[in-house]
């Protein structure tokens, strides 16, 4: 009998009517002869409502108590879904994080799973029950309730799948899978049938928003096949695995983009008087996320270093750098706003050095100026004016023929 | 340092504003130098809303899953109250049932507490924290979440008080204490300063509704001093303890009453052809609660047995008796509706045999017919026409001078 872990997010369980639909979907999988663990999130906007109540009492409530509060959200869903499954004639049993044996670090609000004691879940499966597990939550070694931070329910699902050696982990969500680009903005964006974990990680980090990077990392570490698919239709979604079928002649899998990027440029009077690293160490200490870094040291020119930050962190970054001006030894800073980052991602790139050139050429022909560039083995990112973001994304999607479903080599 | 357990019910924590008031009240007790465990119920109508959702999915949801669902209610309150206490500068830590070490039987929806492992609570108190504990819930030996049934939070409070050997258990509620009768219907009903556990038990069973009988039984077993008082004012409430100060010349402490009583009468053709007990065994098997029983076997008269049941169980009782007519060996049944039960309660009664006579005399003078009588060591109950219920209650309250706060003998 195949063991599957399936996960349904908050929008899929927003109301009792939604929960009935999820139950029907679970029944279908059971009828195929699968043994199921179902991981669920809190219903719809429940988490927001709970946070709102806490904030009525305190602007910065204790993280421990906030975890106690928020985990009630998934606890409500597991019991209601179990009741709905029983109504359909299935045997079902709910598990909170601690009942499911999900042991985490002692880090309130952002704990990592350390170990899963699968005994209780395995017993339920052996008894022919569907195990319904609360996502996003666990328990630390002192019996404190903890939560796993953003995207935590995806992580719960993958971690349980790895621990019980499931055949697959299916993430049901409100989109049909991972797309070559955002279909709301890019013409002819299409669903990608298969992706490698690394490609998904680049896309996830680049703001594709479908899966949390942590869950993909975990799936990669355990080589757990993972799919992303729609709660609302029968269509196959996107399958993530280590070795994906190579799409013929295709090196670029997707185009990701993200606005509200700021480029900060730090000017030095003379060659650096302190280590360049110290700027980034200082910013990291204050939780400022720096993305692309470009330095320029040209003879007879002012040495500079440029880097991109998110718009909402600009003010704080400027204050922190100003406070450390003397130690860091720079002369002045300026910044350029209203920029965006556009990236192309694909595992095939590593062995196709011409891809970056094709990208720059495409942007040049479209008259889009490139302000910064960053590359990795499997992606190329450029920073461009924000007003050109969708223009660039569409042009690149077209350039790399992403709208055409490619033939695959078996 | 005095250890106190205080309990606040659902109406006292109905909103975040209410929770702030509870926090302020707790702060006051801490400032007096007390070490506090606070037991709380679910906020206002939360439990009803959760049950409603479960019923949208299934008319009779599994009790195990219903317990998982309902216990989220108190979990929300403990976290919010802890946050409110921390905001006032107190150290506070929340405890769910399982975190508080409340071990129960494996009886979903109506479990009894078997044992409390107080280690975690005691540690929090030793660290100078207020321990905020979820009422109504526990965990069984298989790590299932359980609930304690109606009045469960009162029971949690008393059980913890006994387990940590607290000085006192204070139940804060929306009334100022236990009254000599219901002040909404009986003129000059007044708060009773002190009651024995047994008196409270009779009043609780007789529908005074302030405390659940199980919590009072527990307090009696452990001789835990217990008070009932208002969340909304500073007034002393009613103190329950084993030995109460005797009120001079006072044998009756309170008048309780309850409407919608039915008298069923079973007629036999000849002396009983089967054991009388079999009627009551049969009814008990079908969860029909029989209260007062009167039998009459008079020479040359048809033998009968009469008993009272609640109006809502009449139909079921008639069906069950009808189905077992042959086995039970009776001839026919009739019933009288629109009756009420009025009771007087007081420990002093045992040594004052004239009390029942005074009661009957009073009712006779008021022209109120008595249909049935039942007595115990510390109470006398009569069944009378429902339309005379408040008349009788007021007359008896007057007769026994209950409106006058008696002098006490130290």
């Amino acid at each position: 009998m195949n063991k599957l872990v399936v996960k349904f997010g908050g929008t899929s369980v927003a109301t009792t009517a939604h929960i009935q639909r999820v139950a029907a979907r679970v029944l279908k999988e059971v009828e195929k002869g699968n043994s199921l663990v179902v991981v669920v999130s809190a219903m719809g906007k429940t988490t927001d409502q709970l946070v709102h109540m806490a904030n009525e009492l305190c602007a910065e409530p204790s993280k421990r108590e906030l975890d106690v509060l928020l985990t009630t959200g998934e606890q409500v869903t597991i019991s209601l879904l179990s009741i709905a499954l029983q109504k359909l004639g299935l045997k079902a049993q709910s598990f909170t994080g601690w009942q499911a044996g999900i042991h985490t670090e002692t880090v309130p609000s952002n704990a990592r799973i350390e170990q899963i004691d699968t005994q209780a879940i395995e017993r339920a499966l052996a008894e022919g029950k569907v195990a319904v597990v609360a996502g996003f939550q666990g328990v630390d070694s002192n019996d404190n309730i903890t939560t796993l931070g953003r995207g935590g329910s995806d992580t719960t699902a993958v971690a349980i799948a790895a621990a019980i050696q499931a055949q697959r982990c299916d993430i049901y969500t409100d989109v049909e899978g991972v797309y070559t680009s955002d279909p709301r903005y890019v013409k002819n964006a299409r669903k990608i049938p298969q992706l490698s974990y690394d490609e998904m990680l680049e896309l996830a980090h680049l703001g594709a928003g479908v899966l949390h990077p942590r869950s993909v990392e975990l799936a990669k570490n355990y080589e757990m096949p993972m799919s992303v698919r729609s709660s609302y239709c029968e269509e196959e979604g996107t399958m993530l695995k280590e070795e994906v079928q190579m799409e013929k002649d295709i090196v670029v899998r997707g185009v990701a983009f993200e606005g509200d990027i700021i480029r900060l440029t730090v000017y030095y009077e003379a060659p650096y008087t302190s280590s360049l690293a110290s700027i980034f160490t200082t910013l990291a200490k204050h939780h400022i996320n720096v993305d692309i870094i470009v330095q320029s040291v040209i003879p007879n020119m002012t040495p500079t270093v440029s880097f991109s930050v998110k718009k909402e962190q600009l003010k704080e970054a400027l204050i922190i750098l100003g406070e450390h001006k003397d130690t860091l030894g720079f002369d002045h800073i300026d910044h350029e706003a209203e920029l965006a980052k556009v990236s192309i991602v694909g595992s095939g790139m590593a062995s196709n050095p011409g891809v970056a050139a094709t990208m720059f050429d495409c942007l040049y022909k479209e008259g889009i100026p490139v302000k910064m560039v960053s590359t990795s083995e499997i992606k190329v990112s450029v920073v461009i004016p924000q007003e050109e973001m969708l223009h660039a994304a569409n042009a690149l999607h077209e350039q790399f023929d992403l709208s055409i479903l490619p033939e695959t080599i078996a």
Side-chain angles (χ1 to χ4, degrees), chain A:
Chain A
M1 191 180 269
N2 273 344
K3 280 191 280 192
L4 293 188
V5 177
V6 299
K7 180 253 170 182
F8 293 88
T11 52
S12 305
V13 294
T15 66
T16 48
H18 284 78
I19 287 173
Q20 283 168 324
R21 281 204 289 276
V22 167
R25 167 62 65 120
V26 169
L27 176 62
K28 233 176 236 177
E29 291 297 325
V30 172
E31 283 173 344
K32 287 180 196 163
N34 295 311
S35 187
L36 250 73
V37 176
V38 186
V39 175
V40 286
S41 304
M43 294 168 74
K45 302 280 170 209
T46 307
T47 305
D48 293 347
Q49 288 159 4
L50 292 170
V51 169
H52 178 73
M53 283 204 291
N55 285 335
E56 283 178 352
L57 296 168
C58 183
E60 286 196 34
S62 119
K63 286 183 176 176
R64 180 193 187 277
E65 298 305 333
L66 208 51
D67 281 356
V68 172
L69 184 66
L70 297 188
T71 50
T72 62
E74 294 82 31
Q75 189 169 327
V76 167
T77 318
I78 55 172
S79 55
L80 291 178
L81 179 56
S82 298
I83 289 166
L85 290 169
Q86 288 163 354
K87 180 74 181 173
L88 295 182
L90 290 171
K91 289 195 279 184
Q93 181 177 335
S94 69
F95 294 85
T96 61
W98 62 271
Q99 287 176 323
I102 297 172
H103 299 281
T104 74
E105 308 166 316
T106 303
V107 179
S109 90
N110 200 25
R112 276 170 183 269
I113 296 175
E114 285 182 335
Q115 186 230 324
I116 300 186
D117 179 354
T118 59
Q119 233 185 344
I121 290 180
E122 303 261 26
R123 195 182 317 123
L125 296 181
E127 289 168 359
K129 291 177 182 166
V130 175
V132 182
V133 180
F136 178 67
Q137 58 181 254
V139 63
D140 75 9
S141 55
N142 296 315
D143 275 357
N144 293 303
I145 295 170
T146 52
T147 64
L148 309 182
R150 286 195 56 194
S153 291
D154 291 347
T155 307
T156 301
V158 176
I160 290 175
I164 65 168
Q165 299 181 292
Q167 268 64 37
R168 204 172 70 233
C169 180
D170 293 332
I171 308 292
Y172 284 83
T173 178
D174 49 2
V175 296
E176 287 184 32
V178 182
Y179 278 70
T180 51
S181 200
D182 189 328
R184 288 172 299 178
Y185 304 112
V186 175
K187 217 174 66 178
N188 301 325
R190 64 166 174 84
K191 195 168 65 190
I192 307 172
Q194 296 193 347
L195 272 176
S196 73
Y197 301 117
D198 284 334
E199 289 172 327
M200 186 66 228
L201 275 175
E202 287 290 358
L203 288 169
H205 279 298
L206 292 172
V210 181
L211 285 177
H212 195 267
R214 204 192 279 182
S215 67
V216 182
E217 278 168 32
L218 206 59
K220 176 179 156 74
N221 288 344
Y222 289 94
E223 296 189 26
M224 174 54 58
M226 184 176 180
S227 85
V228 180
R229 55 189 301 166
S230 167
S231 307
Y232 305 111
C233 72
E234 290 290 323
E235 292 275 312
E236 290 292 319
T238 297
M239 193 72 210
L240 307 185
K241 38 188 181 177
E242 192 54 60
E243 309 242 328
V244 302
Q245 291 178 303
M246 285 308 294
E247 292 177 346
K248 203 175 172 186
D249 297 332
I250 290 289
V251 288
V252 174
R253 297 300 200 109
V255 176
F257 50 87
E258 161 175 35
D260 288 337
I261 303 286
I262 304 278
R263 177 170 68 166
L264 274 167
T265 304
V266 181
Y267 296 83
Y268 293 83
E269 276 189 3
Y272 307 127
T273 51
S274 82
S275 158
L276 193 59
S278 56
I279 280 194
F280 300 109
T281 319
T282 305
L283 291 170
K285 240 187 243 166
H286 292 83
H287 305 287
I288 306 291
N289 289 313
V290 168
D291 185 10
I292 299 177
I293 300 171
V294 175
Q295 61 170 310
S296 140
V297 185
I298 300 168
N300 303 321
M301 298 246 320
T302 309
T304 62
V305 57
S306 297
F307 50 88
S308 65
V309 297
K310 293 272 212 169
K311 190 178 172 183
E312 61 267 26
Q313 292 202 306
L314 170 66
K315 206 172 147 188
E316 216 185 330
L318 289 175
I319 290 170
I320 289 157
L321 291 175
E323 281 170 357
H324 295 81
K325 189 164 186 278
D326 292 344
T327 338
L328 298 174
F330 62 84
D331 183 67
H332 70 283
I333 303 175
D334 70 15
H335 68 269
E336 183 174 4
E338 304 202 345
L339 299 176
K341 185 169 70 166
V342 177
S343 310
I344 55 173
V345 174
S347 309
M349 255 181 228
S351 48
N352 281 270
V355 175
T358 308
M359 180 187 195
F360 299 146
D361 195 45
C362 167
L363 294 172
Y364 174 76
K365 278 183 186 146
E366 298 288 332
I368 300 167
V370 174
K371 306 270 183 171
M372 298 172 91
V373 176
S374 162
T375 61
S376 82
E377 289 283 296
I378 63 168
K379 69 139 203 211
V380 183
S381 297
V382 294
V383 172
I384 59 170
Q386 178 142 320
E387 62 191 22
E388 298 284 7
M389 179 174 78
L390 297 182
H391 174 195
N394 276 282
L396 291 169
H397 198 266
E398 186 77 10
Q399 173 72 49
F400 290 105
D401 294 327
L402 291 179
S403 55
I404 302 153
L405 184 67
E407 292 169 57
T408 55
I409 303 164

